[in-house]
Amino acid sequence: MNQNKLLSKAEDVADEVLRYGKHIMPHLARLCLVSTFIEDGIRMWLQWSDQQEFIRTSWNCGWFLASIFVLFNLVVQLGGSAMVLIRQKVEVACGLLFSIVVLQTFAYNLVWNVQFLPRCLSLIGALLLLLAESRVEGKRLFAGVPSLGDNKPRNYLQLTGRVLLVFMFITVLRFEVSFIQIIQNIVASALMVLVTIGYKTKLSALFLVIWLTILNIYLNPWWSVHSHFADFLRYDFFQTLSVIGGLLMVVSLGPGGVSMDEHKKRW
């Protein structure tokens, strides 16, 4: 009984947060989501020679092709991020940013990297949620037009996005024999399952946003490190921030039609 009261109180608090932040949250979610692409695009500019040399020596492709690779990454990431932020051609922007994720996965030989691959999948999930949001906005533009039923592509985009998004948390679970760590892993795993199946979705996603934000600041303090290691921490920080943006998108949009929350409404 006390558990139900506690859960009900938590849902009331989450509803209050959503009510006061409903106009800000979608903008904040988009900004967080594209932050890793903005950071990487700027890094391509500031470290042009280093990036060019790395690609040239790794792939033995020559100066010209290496330069094209760096330029493509710079222009597409900054351009695609700008399109998302000003909400112009968002579907095209998502396709461009998706191409960057795939291209860098192969270009930097990260396909079998057990730390990078879950993050990559989470980033793709966040982009799918952004794509789903653009479809929601498109539907609102024609609110007076009769609907032929549920928007199934959007619902499945939200489902796939939710499932991929939780892969990020696999990389932050720590299998240590300590009471606090075990409890933390159990709670995080439970929240991941709830977001995946779409049960108490907004509340669960909001808790994950808070938890992941705290972990990100604690594990990736790139601003306090004065060595080459700061680049790796900064990369992880902004990738995690993009996943936080995806979770904020879940909080803002809800779970979609393919979820337990939606089925409960029909019971």
Side-chain angles (χ1 to χ4, degrees):
M1 191 69 175
N2 290 333
Q3 290 178 343
N4 290 335
K5 287 183 178 179
L6 184 62
L7 184 60
S8 178
K9 183 66 176 177
E11 288 181 323
D12 290 341
V13 171
D15 287 339
E16 283 295 304
V17 171
L18 290 174
R19 189 163 64 87
Y20 285 109
K22 64 180 179 180
H23 298 298
I24 301 173
M25 194 168 294
H27 302 287
L28 180 62
R30 282 190 291 271
L31 179 60
C32 289
L33 204 153
V34 300
S35 63
T36 190
F37 298 105
I38 294 173
E39 186 275 332
D40 199 54
I42 293 172
R43 184 160 55 88
M44 290 288 170
W45 173 259
L46 297 177
Q47 300 178 4
W48 180 285
S49 299
D50 293 338
Q51 295 295 326
Q52 184 189 65
E53 181 64 19
F54 178 83
I55 294 298
R56 189 180 67 80
T57 54
S58 297
W59 292 94
N60 194 28
C61 60
W63 175 87
F64 179 74
L65 288 178
S67 299
I68 291 296
F69 173 85
V70 178
L71 181 63
F72 178 80
N73 276 267
L74 189 157
V75 172
V76 170
Q77 290 189 101
L78 295 182
S81 298
M83 291 165 68
V84 168
L85 293 176
I86 65 175
R87 301 162 95 168
Q88 293 295 320
K89 305 288 185 184
V90 175
E91 293 188 359
V92 174
C94 288
L96 291 172
L97 296 176
F98 173 78
S99 72
I100 290 294
V101 175
V102 175
L103 178 64
Q104 290 192 358
T105 301
F106 289 97
Y108 293 109
N109 295 314
L110 296 169
V111 179
W112 306 115
N113 187 310
V114 294
Q115 280 292 108
F116 177 82
L117 190 58
R119 291 172 179 267
C120 176
L121 292 172
S122 293
L123 198 52
I124 291 172
L127 288 173
L128 290 176
L129 290 168
L130 181 59
L131 188 59
E133 190 216 20
S134 72
R135 287 174 173 264
V136 170
E137 290 182 345
K139 188 176 179 182
R140 285 172 186 160
L141 289 175
F142 302 100
V145 178
S147 174
L148 296 177
D150 291 339
N151 191 332
K152 289 185 179 180
R154 174 171 58 83
N155 289 334
Y156 287 116
L157 280 174
Q158 288 179 262
L159 171 63
T160 309
R162 289 200 322 268
V163 172
L164 292 178
L165 204 59
V166 299
F167 274 92
M168 167 61 77
F169 294 90
I170 295 174
T171 66
V172 296
L173 293 177
R174 298 287 184 270
F175 298 100
E176 300 170 2
V177 184
S178 71
F179 177 76
I180 294 176
Q181 191 62 57
I182 291 172
I183 294 298
Q184 180 177 302
N185 287 347
I186 291 172
V187 172
S189 299
L191 290 172
M192 284 190 287
V193 171
L194 291 176
V195 169
T196 303
I197 64 177
Y199 180 71
K200 304 290 183 185
T201 315
K202 291 188 176 185
L203 179 62
S204 302
L206 192 58
F207 274 124
L208 284 177
V209 165
I210 296 168
W211 183 63
L212 193 55
T213 300
I214 294 169
L215 278 183
N216 198 26
I217 294 171
Y218 176 72
L219 296 175
N220 301 312
W222 56 272
W223 53 88
S224 64
V225 177
H226 305 288
S227 67
H228 70 281
F229 188 59
D231 282 343
F232 296 102
L233 291 179
R234 185 167 60 246
Y235 178 79
D236 283 349
F237 179 88
F238 282 100
Q239 274 221 324
T240 306
L241 192 60
S242 288
V243 174
I244 290 171
L247 286 167
L248 286 172
M249 200 69 76
V250 172
V251 175
S252 177
L253 286 178
V258 188
S259 64
M260 289 190 67
D261 285 344
E262 188 65 24
H263 282 294
K264 279 176 62 182
K265 294 177 183 177
R266 300 171 185 171
W267 290 345

